[in-house]
Amino acid sequence: MMPSKIDVAILVGSDSDLPILEETTNTLESFGVAYDITIASAHRTPDKVEKFVQSSLEKGAEVFIAAAGMSAALPGVVASKTIKPVIGVPIQGKSLSGLDALLSMVQMPSGIPVATVSIDKTGAKNAGVLAVQILSLKYKELEEKLKSYKEKMSDDVDLKDEKLQKMGIKNYITKK
Amino acid sequence: MMPSKIDVAILVGSDSDLPILEETTNTLESFGVAYDITIASAHRTPDKVEKFVQSSLEKGAEVFIAAAGMSAALPGVVASKTIKPVIGVPIQGKSLSGLDALLSMVQMPSGIPVATVSIDKTGAKNAGVLAVQILSLKYKELEEKLKSYKEKMSDDVDLKDEKLQKMGIKNYITKK
Amino acid sequence: MMPSKIDVAILVGSDSDLPILEETTNTLESFGVAYDITIASAHRTPDKVEKFVQSSLEKGAEVFIAAAGMSAALPGVVASKTIKPVIGVPIQGKSLSGLDALLSMVQMPSGIPVATVSIDKTGAKNAGVLAVQILSLKYKELEEKLKSYKEKMSDDVDLKDEKLQKMGIKNYITKK
Amino acid sequence: MMPSKIDVAILVGSDSDLPILEETTNTLESFGVAYDITIASAHRTPDKVEKFVQSSLEKGAEVFIAAAGMSAALPGVVASKTIKPVIGVPIQGKSLSGLDALLSMVQMPSGIPVATVSIDKTGAKNAGVLAVQILSLKYKELEEKLKSYKEKMSDDVDLKDEKLQKMGIKNYITKK
Amino acid sequence: MMPSKIDVAILVGSDSDLPILEETTNTLESFGVAYDITIASAHRTPDKVEKFVQSSLEKGAEVFIAAAGMSAALPGVVASKTIKPVIGVPIQGKSLSGLDALLSMVQMPSGIPVATVSIDKTGAKNAGVLAVQILSLKYKELEEKLKSYKEKMSDDVDLKDEKLQKMGIKNYITKK
Amino acid sequence: MMPSKIDVAILVGSDSDLPILEETTNTLESFGVAYDITIASAHRTPDKVEKFVQSSLEKGAEVFIAAAGMSAALPGVVASKTIKPVIGVPIQGKSLSGLDALLSMVQMPSGIPVATVSIDKTGAKNAGVLAVQILSLKYKELEEKLKSYKEKMSDDVDLKDEKLQKMGIKNYITKK
Amino acid sequence: MMPSKIDVAILVGSDSDLPILEETTNTLESFGVAYDITIASAHRTPDKVEKFVQSSLEKGAEVFIAAAGMSAALPGVVASKTIKPVIGVPIQGKSLSGLDALLSMVQMPSGIPVATVSIDKTGAKNAGVLAVQILSLKYKELEEKLKSYKEKMSDDVDLKDEKLQKMGIKNYITKK
Amino acid sequence: MMPSKIDVAILVGSDSDLPILEETTNTLESFGVAYDITIASAHRTPDKVEKFVQSSLEKGAEVFIAAAGMSAALPGVVASKTIKPVIGVPIQGKSLSGLDALLSMVQMPSGIPVATVSIDKTGAKNAGVLAVQILSLKYKELEEKLKSYKEKMSDDVDLKDEKLQKMGIKNYITKK
């Protein structure tokens, strides 16, 4: 993968969502996947969304990730402009526990899917992993990395469990 | 108001929503308000939405009404393209009791409001009434019509109540 | 617009909602739109609500904005007393994530619409913008201001994005 | 209790709710409690609501029952006009499973309670029973009737259970 | 009203609910209404609930108030043991925003109503007001007090509004 | 297991729930588990509930199953009267999609668990299976039956899948 | 693509979901994408799920689609067994409006994404489209087909709109 | 009960859930019930879950308890691997108020029950109590302990109530 080329194009509806999306960019970086990230709003800068989608396609983007809160139209608007897979990350706002963004994203009409993942940080990381899984169809070196990633996740759980078995639940909670 | 000019531009996301939107068009017609109505999808025909908004503005549209179900992005997309007031009618889909469309529409981000009304037929009629209320700022003859409309609503309730007082609840229910 | 005249009349159900409604008054002021704001409760001071609606109409109010939480009857009660457009701002209470106020406001019966906007501060600002959009039918100078407002929103997003492109996501988050 | 006097005043927001409210009137009649029932809308006929409350008070009404669906403001508006206890019956509309009317009714602000009961027919019957329970503070003959009513409910369950014990579950379901 | 006699009997499911119920007892005291309050759990001390209901009836209790959170069975269990009106106050727990307690209380089966009020402190105060409204059927001196209470609520809103008119929204928010 | 002895005691709040509970009794019968079933309401016949619990314990009941809708207090009331495991089956009512009964049952306070299963028929069958799983701690012959049951479920899925592989999805749907 | 090879592997939790999944298989067939479909339950036949995942991977499956209702664990279980992208289709059950399956699927933990699409038939079709979008990274001929598909969707909307413009809303509704 | 043998096997999906599960282990210890607890994830370490279930069965585990948040598949996966009763504890995540984990757990398909208890700490304690109730079918000494536990709960409420009666509500709240 050359630096001038990108594999994943990321859009966030507001710069307040960037700390959440850092989970996505960290994940992509750990897999060596090139990305662009932009702040662009489906409602405030619709033309910019369209231009970013086009320029990303020209740079070779194969997967889009869009994160937004409330009436989270961004991933759907991106999906309306491309035939590439679009992943949606619902961001929890101050009201309604994230249900608004989740339903706005996942309930897309027939023919224009958005691949919706979990709310907030967990979803942001999972958007990165899902993008890598999709890219691995084309870039076989990512398959091995995904297998290692999966093993590492499993090993991390095992390590924590070993610690729990040694320390017992009371010490584990206190000393952690 | 001349026939070649419109006051209200209506967009529906799917032709299956037309029987609901007939409440809107009937209401506008009863007030003598000219409108255009189009089927255009925020996700399937985004360019058409933009073109319809532009051509409607050229025809003099002062208010937009957009109805959609599920991930109901249509009114927000319209609102991103105009500074005119945009009214949103949430349509109930087969799941989730209409909560998806309602939250998708009403929870618009800062600076781009959608004036959201009730779900389905009641909302479709109310979108018409709200559009007329807005137009009445400019077209004073609509003020009198709105007052008559309001009186008629009140009179209808009174008539039903008179019937109830005469017949009693049991007869009212049975003979109605 | 003369000072003794108002364009927008605002009602809040409780003085605890004023910090949220400041978003509305700031927005109206930035557009040079004259308003009155009052504390009046649909349930505790119903007569005051009616009197405020009447006196506001006499002062020339063209749009009403009403904000309330919980069983948020205020915008509906205002709408029952006028043929002017009424905008409702749902306020989130201590329970139920704002769903109570939202449903109470938006689900108005046939013939009496309330133009409902987002919950809390975002909705309060959007109520101001929507009021200006409605007033712009009559006051053409507001059209230009709305276009500038929309451009400024778009420019703000662009500026943030430029900063993001220069700094990268990690620096943007840390230094912000 | 003389015929020209009433104990309970009932308001329904729409005549479509009357079949549900028949549960209330049947219950009141079975206890020999005099009532008036009217169709009056908080939003379409606010003055009528106020007049009905006043005339009911003059006729001696001690308890109010108000039923409404969607943005169910009616019981709250009644409660704002009287110091008598007000019972609210939430009616399920076509969307949102009755949650809208329930939250609109029950989440009343400080100082103006609405005694909210179950959604639809069960609530309509229970509004009648609750009104009788309240009236029994003043009319001691109602206490005995309430005790009999409670015993009859218990006996009805017992009779059904006896039938179940005799027939077994399969026959009970089939032959019922 | 003599000291050895009570008018209202209050049950709370847990002592952690007492700070919320203080709104109820303060309200009753301000009306000079005598009450007993007990901690008794429908699930942990069912016999105690029954005994308290019986002893309260012997002391002359005319209204019951029961507050509980989560699977809030307490008011329903009280209602099963008496023909007196029972008021339920739903308490918000750590999960589910109070929806669990609200639905558990309000959705009572046919024949056994619970007069449900708002969630948490607002409901606790309103339970007190509703109890006084019910008692006022029998104790006419409470009618005058309720009218004064209602006027005072209205006056309080007026005072706050006068302050707002003098200070303006910005000063009101800052100096408050 | 002798006929005069029971292993499972079942309570339903209303005879309208019996067709759903037949899933439970059929399941128990298929495992040869003796049961009693009664109609008894936590709210209408609280004493009967208590008596049935006591007599069931005397007959040797080791597990209780209670099904109820709306404000589904029945399983919690049973749990307050016994130290035996209590299984709750939430029944969907006409409103609120079963959420009311589910939350009323599952959100039990500390110390008094109700083992809540799925809503309606699926839950009714699963209550039977769970009761058998619990009884199998004591009656080892049930272990083998549970293993066969689990294998049969698996085989049923396999058989359907074999049919699907032979017929293809279109034929499977049409000819089924 | 050779017949002995598959691109997409589909799992349904129950044969009652097959009529919904036919939307998926029809979509895949219209794109000429080879698939296998099996009935396999995460809870009833966990080993079969694992075997199907393995054999599908050996046949070359690049994308998995899993549909399930209620506690819809199937897509998550598939995702735990492969590094390929997994698409989840939530199926609406008899209660809770599909919210149970949606939340069970979309709220996956960190590291194991499920690409969740809309509830029921719309989601089933969109799962097919999303699978094709993902496959198009590798099979470039699918890109053209996706563009045609998108154009056809757009043309279909245009055709319906043309019909609407010719017939008017009243005739469109009646004659359709 | 010998130390090398266990009665209850506990699985948590993440070590962040351990402070909540301490309620379970404390409860089991207070009853002298032996348990193993492990960190094992249905999605990240599915094989470990299966191995832990098998080894726990070999150690004599009679009851399983599984706690998880979000898409809480863990208890269902455990239930798919054993015929022993499985208790599920839903853990509240950062979004959706715990509704996601609750619905994922409780809405199990036909034939594979999960005995679901309350959300978070209350549920964790209740899972312990329910496990002891189940074990008491086999270990009669637990019956007495459960009776004492129930009495102690009742006594604790009585003690708090005595304190309330002595101190009055105001002092109770302040001095507590």
Side-chain angles (χ1 to χ4, degrees):
Chain A
M1 280 163 275
M2 294 166 50
S4 63
K5 184 185 160 295
I6 62 164
D7 299 305
V8 177
I10 307 172
L11 303 95
V12 290
S14 159
D15 72 333
S16 61
D17 301 340
L18 287 173
I20 289 169
L21 266 290
E22 203 189 359
E23 297 279 338
T24 312
T25 56
N26 284 347
T27 301
L28 293 176
E29 288 174 18
S30 74
F31 280 95
V33 167
Y35 64 88
D36 269 2
I37 180 165
T38 194
I39 305 167
S41 159
H43 296 119
R44 278 176 275 192
T45 62
D47 295 340
K48 185 175 184 181
V49 171
E50 187 161 2
K51 274 178 211 160
F52 180 77
V53 171
Q54 293 312 319
S55 71
S56 298
L57 289 171
E58 287 158 19
K59 286 178 172 179
E62 303 274 17
V63 182
F64 286 82
I65 295 172
M70 300 178 71
S71 171
L74 188 58
V77 166
V78 172
S80 77
K81 303 289 185 190
T82 179
I83 56 159
K84 297 291 174 190
V86 178
I87 301 168
V89 184
I91 306 291
Q92 179 170 4
K94 295 203 183 79
S95 316
L96 298 172
S97 294
L99 196 65
D100 45 0
L102 172 57
L103 299 185
S104 301
M105 262 182 208
V106 78
Q107 282 290 76
M108 288 292 291
S110 179
I112 313 282
V114 164
T116 305
V117 291
S118 321
I119 297 171
D120 273 4
K121 287 206 171 180
T122 306
K125 180 181 278 191
N126 278 356
V129 176
L130 180 57
V132 175
Q133 290 177 332
I134 292 170
L135 289 167
S136 77
L137 265 75
K138 194 171 175 179
Y139 304 107
K140 286 298 158 185
E141 72 273 22
L142 291 174
E143 282 200 350
E144 285 314 304
K145 289 185 184 177
L146 280 165
K147 280 177 192 165
S148 305
Y149 181 83
K150 204 152 195 162
E151 274 160 29
K152 194 181 167 315
M153 277 198 302
S154 173
D155 291 349
D156 284 353
V157 175
D158 286 347
L159 277 174
K160 285 176 181 169
D161 188 38
E162 277 171 35
K163 200 174 134 194
L164 174 64
Q165 301 311 327
K166 271 186 215 147
M167 299 176 75
I169 182 167
K170 279 182 186 53
N171 281 326
Y172 191 102
I173 295 168
T174 321
K175 298 200 178 152
K176 202 197 157 185
Chain B
M1 278 166 278
M2 294 165 49
S4 63
K5 183 183 161 297
I6 61 164
D7 299 306
V8 177
I10 308 171
L11 304 94
V12 289
S14 158
D15 72 333
S16 61
D17 301 339
L18 287 173
I20 288 169
L21 267 289
E22 204 188 0
E23 297 280 336
T24 312
T25 56
N26 284 346
T27 301
L28 293 176
E29 287 173 18
S30 74
F31 280 95
V33 167
Y35 64 88
D36 269 3
I37 180 165
T38 194
I39 305 166
S41 160
H43 296 119
R44 276 175 277 193
T45 61
D47 294 340
K48 184 174 185 185
V49 172
E50 188 161 2
K51 274 178 212 157
F52 180 77
V53 171
Q54 292 312 320
S55 71
S56 298
L57 290 171
E58 286 158 18
K59 287 178 172 179
E62 302 275 16
V63 182
F64 286 82
I65 295 171
M70 301 178 71
S71 171
L74 189 58
V77 166
V78 172
S80 77
K81 305 287 184 190
T82 179
I83 57 159
K84 297 292 175 192
V86 178
I87 301 169
V89 184
I91 306 291
Q92 178 169 5
K94 295 201 184 80
S95 317
L96 297 172
S97 294
L99 195 66
D100 45 0
L102 171 58
L103 298 185
S104 301
M105 261 181 208
V106 80
Q107 282 289 77
M108 286 292 290
S110 180
I112 313 282
V114 164
T116 306
V117 292
S118 321
I119 296 172
D120 273 3
K121 286 207 169 180
T122 307
K125 180 180 278 191
N126 278 356
V129 176
L130 180 57
V132 175
Q133 291 177 330
I134 293 170
L135 290 167
S136 77
L137 265 75
K138 192 171 177 180
Y139 304 107
K140 286 298 159 184
E141 71 273 22
L142 290 175
E143 282 199 352
E144 284 316 303
K145 289 186 185 175
L146 279 165
K147 282 177 190 164
S148 307
Y149 180 82
K150 204 153 193 158
E151 275 160 30
K152 194 181 168 313
M153 276 198 303
S154 172
D155 292 348
D156 285 352
V157 174
D158 286 347
L159 278 174
K160 284 177 182 166
D161 187 38
E162 277 171 37
K163 198 173 135 195
L164 174 64
Q165 302 311 327
K166 270 187 218 146
M167 300 176 74
I169 183 167
K170 278 182 185 50
N171 280 326
Y172 192 102
I173 294 168
T174 322
K175 300 202 176 151
K176 203 197 159 181
Chain C
M1 279 163 277
M2 295 166 50
S4 63
K5 182 184 160 299
I6 61 163
D7 300 305
V8 177
I10 308 172
L11 303 95
V12 290
S14 158
D15 72 333
S16 62
D17 301 340
L18 287 174
I20 288 168
L21 267 289
E22 204 190 358
E23 297 279 337
T24 311
T25 56
N26 284 347
T27 301
L28 293 176
E29 287 174 19
S30 74
F31 280 95
V33 168
Y35 64 87
D36 268 2
I37 180 165
T38 194
I39 305 166
S41 159
H43 296 120
R44 277 174 275 191
T45 62
D47 294 341
K48 185 175 184 182
V49 172
E50 186 160 5
K51 274 178 211 158
F52 180 77
V53 171
Q54 292 312 319
S55 71
S56 298
L57 290 171
E58 286 158 20
K59 287 179 172 178
E62 303 274 18
V63 182
F64 286 82
I65 294 172
M70 300 178 71
S71 171
L74 189 58
V77 166
V78 172
S80 76
K81 303 289 185 189
T82 179
I83 56 158
K84 297 291 175 191
V86 178
I87 301 168
V89 184
I91 305 290
Q92 179 170 3
K94 295 201 183 82
S95 317
L96 297 172
S97 295
L99 196 65
D100 45 0
L102 171 58
L103 299 185
S104 301
M105 261 181 207
V106 79
Q107 282 289 76
M108 287 292 291
S110 179
I112 314 281
V114 164
T116 306
V117 291
S118 321
I119 297 172
D120 273 3
K121 286 206 169 181
T122 306
K125 180 180 277 191
N126 278 356
V129 176
L130 180 57
V132 175
Q133 290 177 331
I134 293 170
L135 288 167
S136 77
L137 266 75
K138 195 170 174 180
Y139 304 106
K140 287 296 159 187
E141 70 273 21
L142 291 175
E143 282 200 352
E144 286 314 304
K145 289 185 183 175
L146 280 165
K147 282 177 191 164
S148 306
Y149 180 84
K150 204 153 194 162
E151 275 160 28
K152 194 180 167 313
M153 275 198 304
S154 172
D155 292 349
D156 284 353
V157 175
D158 286 347
L159 278 175
K160 284 177 181 167
D161 187 38
E162 277 170 36
K163 198 174 135 195
L164 174 64
Q165 300 312 325
K166 271 186 216 147
M167 300 176 75
I169 182 168
K170 278 182 185 54
N171 280 326
Y172 191 101
I173 295 168
T174 321
K175 297 198 179 155
K176 203 197 157 184
Chain D
M1 278 165 280
M2 294 164 50
S4 64
K5 184 184 159 297
I6 62 164
D7 299 305
V8 177
I10 307 172
L11 303 95
V12 290
S14 158
D15 72 333
S16 61
D17 301 340
L18 287 173
I20 288 168
L21 267 289
E22 204 189 359
E23 297 279 337
T24 312
T25 56
N26 284 347
T27 301
L28 293 176
E29 287 173 19
S30 74
F31 279 95
V33 167
Y35 64 88
D36 270 1
I37 180 166
T38 194
I39 306 166
S41 160
H43 296 120
R44 277 175 276 193
T45 62
D47 294 340
K48 185 174 185 185
V49 171
E50 188 161 2
K51 273 178 212 159
F52 180 77
V53 171
Q54 292 311 320
S55 72
S56 298
L57 290 171
E58 286 158 19
K59 286 181 173 177
E62 302 274 17
V63 181
F64 286 83
I65 295 171
M70 300 178 74
S71 170
L74 189 57
V77 166
V78 172
S80 77
K81 304 288 185 190
T82 179
I83 56 159
K84 297 291 176 192
V86 178
I87 301 168
V89 184
I91 305 291
Q92 178 170 5
K94 296 201 183 80
S95 316
L96 297 172
S97 295
L99 196 65
D100 46 0
L102 171 57
L103 298 185
S104 301
M105 261 181 208
V106 79
Q107 282 289 77
M108 287 292 290
S110 180
I112 313 282
V114 164
T116 306
V117 291
S118 321
I119 297 171
D120 273 2
K121 287 208 169 182
T122 306
K125 179 179 280 192
N126 278 357
V129 176
L130 180 58
V132 176
Q133 290 177 331
I134 293 170
L135 289 166
S136 77
L137 266 73
K138 194 172 176 178
Y139 304 106
K140 286 298 159 184
E141 70 274 22
L142 291 174
E143 282 199 350
E144 286 314 305
K145 289 185 184 175
L146 280 165
K147 282 177 191 164
S148 307
Y149 181 82
K150 204 153 194 159
E151 274 160 30
K152 194 181 168 314
M153 276 198 303
S154 173
D155 292 349
D156 284 353
V157 175
D158 286 346
L159 278 174
K160 285 177 181 167
D161 187 39
E162 277 171 37
K163 199 174 135 193
L164 173 64
Q165 302 310 328
K166 268 186 219 146
M167 300 177 74
I169 182 168
K170 279 183 185 52
N171 281 325
Y172 192 101
I173 294 168
T174 322
K175 298 201 179 152
K176 204 195 157 183
Chain E
M1 279 165 278
M2 294 166 50
S4 64
K5 183 183 162 298
I6 62 165
D7 299 305
V8 177
I10 308 172
L11 303 95
V12 290
S14 158
D15 72 334
S16 62
D17 302 340
L18 287 173
I20 289 168
L21 266 290
E22 204 189 359
E23 297 279 338
T24 311
T25 56
N26 284 347
T27 301
L28 293 177
E29 287 174 20
S30 74
F31 280 95
V33 167
Y35 64 89
D36 269 1
I37 180 164
T38 194
I39 305 166
S41 160
H43 296 120
R44 278 175 275 191
T45 62
D47 295 340
K48 185 174 184 182
V49 171
E50 186 160 4
K51 274 178 211 158
F52 181 76
V53 171
Q54 292 312 320
S55 72
S56 298
L57 290 171
E58 286 158 21
K59 287 178 172 180
E62 302 275 18
V63 182
F64 286 83
I65 295 172
M70 300 177 71
S71 171
L74 188 58
V77 166
V78 172
S80 76
K81 304 288 186 190
T82 178
I83 56 159
K84 297 292 174 190
V86 177
I87 301 168
V89 184
I91 305 291
Q92 180 170 2
K94 296 201 184 80
S95 317
L96 297 173
S97 295
L99 196 65
D100 46 359
L102 171 58
L103 298 186
S104 300
M105 261 180 209
V106 80
Q107 283 289 76
M108 286 293 291
S110 180
I112 313 283
V114 164
T116 305
V117 291
S118 321
I119 297 172
D120 273 3
K121 287 207 169 180
T122 306
K125 180 179 278 191
N126 278 357
V129 176
L130 180 57
V132 175
Q133 289 177 332
I134 293 170
L135 289 167
S136 78
L137 266 75
K138 194 170 175 180
Y139 304 106
K140 286 297 158 186
E141 70 274 21
L142 290 175
E143 283 201 348
E144 285 314 303
K145 289 185 184 176
L146 279 165
K147 282 176 190 164
S148 307
Y149 180 83
K150 203 153 195 162
E151 275 160 28
K152 195 180 166 314
M153 277 198 303
S154 172
D155 292 348
D156 284 353
V157 175
D158 286 347
L159 278 174
K160 285 178 181 165
D161 187 37
E162 277 171 35
K163 199 173 135 194
L164 173 64
Q165 302 311 325
K166 272 187 215 145
M167 300 177 75
I169 182 167
K170 278 183 186 51
N171 281 325
Y172 192 101
I173 294 168
T174 322
K175 296 198 180 155
K176 204 196 158 185
Chain F
M1 279 165 281
M2 292 165 50
S4 62
K5 184 182 159 294
I6 61 165
D7 299 305
V8 177
I10 307 172
L11 302 95
V12 289
S14 158
D15 72 332
S16 62
D17 302 339
L18 287 173
I20 288 168
L21 268 288
E22 204 189 358
E23 297 279 337
T24 312
T25 56
N26 285 347
T27 301
L28 293 176
E29 287 174 19
S30 74
F31 280 94
V33 167
Y35 64 88
D36 269 2
I37 180 165
T38 194
I39 305 166
S41 159
H43 297 119
R44 278 175 275 192
T45 61
D47 294 340
K48 186 175 184 183
V49 172
E50 188 162 1
K51 273 178 213 158
F52 180 77
V53 171
Q54 292 311 320
S55 71
S56 297
L57 290 171
E58 286 158 20
K59 286 180 173 177
E62 304 274 17
V63 182
F64 286 82
I65 295 171
M70 299 177 73
S71 171
L74 189 58
V77 167
V78 172
S80 77
K81 304 288 184 189
T82 178
I83 56 159
K84 298 291 174 190
V86 178
I87 301 168
V89 184
I91 305 291
Q92 178 169 4
K94 296 203 182 79
S95 317
L96 297 172
S97 295
L99 197 65
D100 46 359
L102 172 57
L103 298 185
S104 301
M105 260 181 209
V106 78
Q107 282 289 76
M108 287 292 290
S110 179
I112 314 283
V114 164
T116 306
V117 291
S118 323
I119 297 172
D120 273 2
K121 287 208 170 181
T122 306
K125 179 179 280 191
N126 277 357
V129 175
L130 180 57
V132 175
Q133 289 178 332
I134 293 170
L135 289 167
S136 77
L137 265 75
K138 194 172 175 179
Y139 303 106
K140 286 297 158 185
E141 70 273 22
L142 291 175
E143 283 200 350
E144 285 315 304
K145 289 185 183 175
L146 280 165
K147 282 177 192 165
S148 306
Y149 180 83
K150 204 153 195 161
E151 275 160 29
K152 191 178 171 314
M153 276 197 303
S154 172
D155 292 348
D156 284 352
V157 175
D158 286 347
L159 277 174
K160 284 176 182 168
D161 187 39
E162 276 171 37
K163 198 173 136 195
L164 173 64
Q165 301 312 326
K166 271 188 216 143
M167 300 176 75
I169 183 168
K170 279 182 185 51
N171 281 326
Y172 192 101
I173 295 167
T174 322
K175 298 200 179 153
K176 202 196 159 183
Chain G
M1 279 165 279
M2 292 164 51
S4 63
K5 183 183 159 299
I6 61 165
D7 299 305
V8 177
I10 307 171
L11 303 95
V12 289
S14 158
D15 72 333
S16 61
D17 301 340
L18 287 173
I20 288 169
L21 267 289
E22 203 189 0
E23 297 280 337
T24 312
T25 56
N26 284 346
T27 301
L28 292 177
E29 287 173 19
S30 75
F31 280 95
V33 167
Y35 64 87
D36 269 3
I37 180 165
T38 194
I39 305 166
S41 159
H43 296 120
R44 277 175 276 192
T45 62
D47 294 340
K48 184 173 186 186
V49 172
E50 188 162 1
K51 274 179 212 158
F52 180 77
V53 171
Q54 293 312 321
S55 71
S56 298
L57 289 171
E58 286 158 20
K59 287 178 171 178
E62 302 275 17
V63 182
F64 286 83
I65 295 172
M70 301 179 72
S71 171
L74 189 58
V77 166
V78 172
S80 78
K81 304 287 185 190
T82 178
I83 56 160
K84 297 291 174 190
V86 178
I87 301 169
V89 184
I91 306 291
Q92 179 169 3
K94 295 202 183 79
S95 317
L96 297 173
S97 295
L99 197 65
D100 45 0
L102 172 57
L103 298 185
S104 301
M105 260 181 209
V106 78
Q107 281 290 75
M108 287 292 290
S110 179
I112 314 282
V114 164
T116 305
V117 292
S118 321
I119 296 172
D120 273 3
K121 287 207 170 180
T122 306
K125 179 180 279 191
N126 277 357
V129 176
L130 180 56
V132 175
Q133 290 177 330
I134 293 171
L135 289 168
S136 78
L137 265 75
K138 193 172 175 178
Y139 304 106
K140 287 297 158 185
E141 71 274 21
L142 291 175
E143 282 200 351
E144 285 315 304
K145 289 185 183 174
L146 280 164
K147 283 177 190 164
S148 307
Y149 180 83
K150 204 153 195 160
E151 275 160 30
K152 192 179 170 314
M153 276 197 303
S154 173
D155 292 348
D156 284 352
V157 174
D158 286 347
L159 277 174
K160 284 177 181 168
D161 188 39
E162 276 171 37
K163 198 174 135 194
L164 173 64
Q165 301 310 327
K166 270 188 217 145
M167 300 176 75
I169 182 167
K170 278 182 185 51
N171 281 326
Y172 191 101
I173 294 167
T174 322
K175 298 201 178 154
K176 201 195 160 184
Chain H
M1 280 164 277
M2 294 165 50
S4 63
K5 183 183 162 294
I6 62 165
D7 299 305
V8 177
I10 308 172
L11 303 95
V12 289
S14 157
D15 72 334
S16 62
D17 301 339
L18 287 173
I20 289 168
L21 266 291
E22 205 189 358
E23 297 280 337
T24 312
T25 56
N26 285 347
T27 301
L28 292 177
E29 287 173 19
S30 74
F31 279 95
V33 167
Y35 63 87
D36 269 1
I37 180 165
T38 195
I39 305 167
S41 160
H43 296 119
R44 277 175 276 192
T45 61
D47 295 341
K48 186 176 183 181
V49 171
E50 187 161 2
K51 274 178 210 158
F52 180 77
V53 171
Q54 293 312 321
S55 71
S56 298
L57 290 171
E58 286 159 20
K59 286 178 172 181
E62 302 275 16
V63 182
F64 286 82
I65 295 172
M70 300 177 72
S71 171
L74 189 58
V77 166
V78 172
S80 76
K81 304 288 185 189
T82 178
I83 56 158
K84 297 292 175 189
V86 178
I87 301 169
V89 184
I91 306 291
Q92 180 171 2
K94 296 201 183 81
S95 317
L96 298 172
S97 295
L99 196 64
D100 45 359
L102 172 58
L103 299 185
S104 301
M105 260 180 209
V106 80
Q107 282 290 75
M108 286 293 290
S110 179
I112 314 282
V114 164
T116 305
V117 291
S118 321
I119 296 171
D120 273 4
K121 285 206 172 182
T122 307
K125 181 181 276 191
N126 278 356
V129 175
L130 181 57
V132 175
Q133 290 177 331
I134 293 170
L135 288 167
S136 77
L137 265 75
K138 193 170 176 180
Y139 304 107
K140 286 297 159 185
E141 70 274 21
L142 292 174
E143 283 200 350
E144 285 315 303
K145 290 184 184 177
L146 280 165
K147 282 177 190 164
S148 306
Y149 180 83
K150 204 153 195 162
E151 274 160 30
K152 194 181 167 315
M153 276 198 302
S154 172
D155 292 349
D156 284 353
V157 175
D158 286 347
L159 278 174
K160 285 175 181 169
D161 188 38
E162 276 171 37
K163 200 173 135 195
L164 173 64
Q165 301 311 326
K166 271 186 215 148
M167 301 176 74
I169 182 167
K170 278 182 186 53
N171 281 325
Y172 192 102
I173 294 168
T174 322
K175 297 199 179 153
K176 203 198 157 183

